[in-house]
Amino acid sequence: MQIEEHQWFSPNLERDMAFKVYGHWGMPILVFPSSLGRYYDYEGMGMIDAIADFIYAGKVKLFCIDSVDAESWYHFSVPPVARNVRHEAYTAYVTGEIIPFIRNHCNQPDIRVMANGCSMGAYHAVNFFLKRPDLFAGTIALSGLYRLDHAEFGLNSDDIPAVYFNSPLHYLPGLNNTWFLDWYRRSDIIVCVGQGAWEIETLEDTRRLDDVLRDKRIPTWVDYWGHDVDHDWPWWFQQMYYFLDNLDLDR
């Protein structure tokens, strides 16, 4: 398998950022790490091995990046507005540095990229897609939380105004701009959640996201797996393989 590791100083984040590329050809997938995770976690936790068939076959090429969650949504010692500012710097890094790199790496200057992640990575995958559907062709989001007023983030409803435009289940219901909706309707949106251990809040958020997308008539594949399906890597391996196997990767 062709594997590359890259690192540069990000002017948007004002620090070094590293990432890895897996594969030689195929649909580009930008992978966001899970909570406080790193760019090498997909490899270290076993996801690369789990979906290696698609990588070797040139069906997909993965770009696994770092997050700055410890400096944004999990930085509990600073106020919500400061966390949001740091996340917006991360947004500029992804859209202004990583996406151009991916397009150049794929020799396709206008290609839209799939967004993917598990747990916190699913939040990022959905949020980035919803905010920039002109850059992202869709999302494969596994077991995510889609609003920021969860105890996990140390935020409550009073904090939402400061982070509103990065909390999908808050901004999406009121989003009626046809530019966004038209992009959404020609994208591949896959959202999956189990109903087993540690999936109570993610299941609730997924159901709410399902309702909102249905209300807006946005085609979405929302898949609810069984009560034995936990919030854990062995299930995410199976889910990712299943969804890649059912996507049209030869477009």
Side-chain angles (χ1 to χ4, degrees):
M1 183 185 299
Q2 180 172 314
I3 302 176
E4 303 172 16
E5 184 161 355
H6 299 268
Q7 180 173 309
W8 65 66
F9 181 84
S10 166
N12 288 291
L13 292 168
E14 299 184 321
R15 71 170 175 88
D16 287 339
M17 293 291 287
F19 62 95
K20 297 187 80 167
V21 184
Y22 301 87
H24 61 281
W25 193 250
M27 175 188 289
I29 300 178
L30 177 57
V31 177
F32 296 93
S34 57
S35 306
L36 302 171
R38 297 300 308 277
Y39 68 96
Y40 43 72
D41 285 351
Y42 248 34
E43 181 178 351
M45 298 303 295
M47 181 65 86
I48 298 299
D49 287 340
I51 61 171
D53 290 350
F54 301 98
I55 302 173
Y56 280 120
K59 298 292 186 179
V60 298
K61 184 192 291 189
L62 272 61
F63 297 80
C64 299
I65 64 172
D66 249 340
S67 75
V68 295
D69 292 338
E71 304 164 26
S72 58
W73 306 128
Y74 289 97
H75 193 182
F76 301 135
S77 63
V78 300
V81 67
R83 296 195 226 176
N84 194 74
V85 167
R86 191 57 176 164
H87 178 79
E88 288 300 330
Y90 183 61
T91 298
Y93 162 71
V94 171
T95 60
E97 300 179 47
I98 292 295
I99 293 296
F101 176 91
I102 293 174
R103 287 175 161 179
N104 182 66
H105 200 276
C106 295
N107 294 312
Q108 299 184 71
D110 299 317
I111 195 168
R112 293 164 71 213
V113 179
M114 285 294 288
N116 168 233
C118 310
S119 191
M120 188 62 177
Y123 156 78
H124 286 301
V126 166
N127 190 44
F128 271 92
F129 163 70
L130 290 175
K131 294 178 72 173
R132 292 301 305 268
D134 55 326
L135 301 181
F136 290 95
T139 181
I140 305 174
L142 310 178
S143 300
L145 295 172
Y146 305 114
R147 32 180 271 262
L148 290 174
D149 56 344
H150 281 282
E152 176 169 343
F153 307 119
L155 300 172
N156 57 49
S157 58
D158 292 339
D159 299 315
I160 288 301
V163 302
Y164 180 85
F165 290 107
N166 284 303
S167 187
L169 285 178
H170 287 99
Y171 68 73
L172 185 59
L175 197 162
N176 296 305
N177 186 306
T178 56
W179 182 89
F180 285 97
L181 299 181
D182 288 346
W183 274 115
Y184 297 163
R185 289 172 182 141
R186 54 179 186 264
S187 302
D188 291 307
I189 308 172
I190 298 172
V191 183
C192 180
V193 68
Q195 300 179 70
W198 313 297
E199 290 279 48
I200 294 174
E201 290 184 308
T202 54
L203 179 59
E204 176 186 319
D205 277 16
T206 299
R207 284 176 173 154
R208 177 58 181 146
L209 184 63
D210 191 1
D211 289 342
V212 173
L213 292 168
R214 285 177 184 271
D215 287 345
K216 294 183 178 297
R217 299 180 182 178
I218 297 166
T220 309
W221 183 0
V222 181
D223 217 359
Y224 300 95
W225 286 38
H227 293 278
D228 59 331
V229 179
D230 302 334
H231 188 93
D232 204 358
W233 285 98
W235 287 108
W236 296 332
F237 299 159
Q238 294 184 47
Q239 291 165 0
M240 192 65 176
Y241 194 101
Y242 174 73
F243 293 123
L244 289 180
D245 201 35
N246 281 277
L247 273 176
D248 180 5
L249 300 176
D250 294 316
R251 286 173 298 176

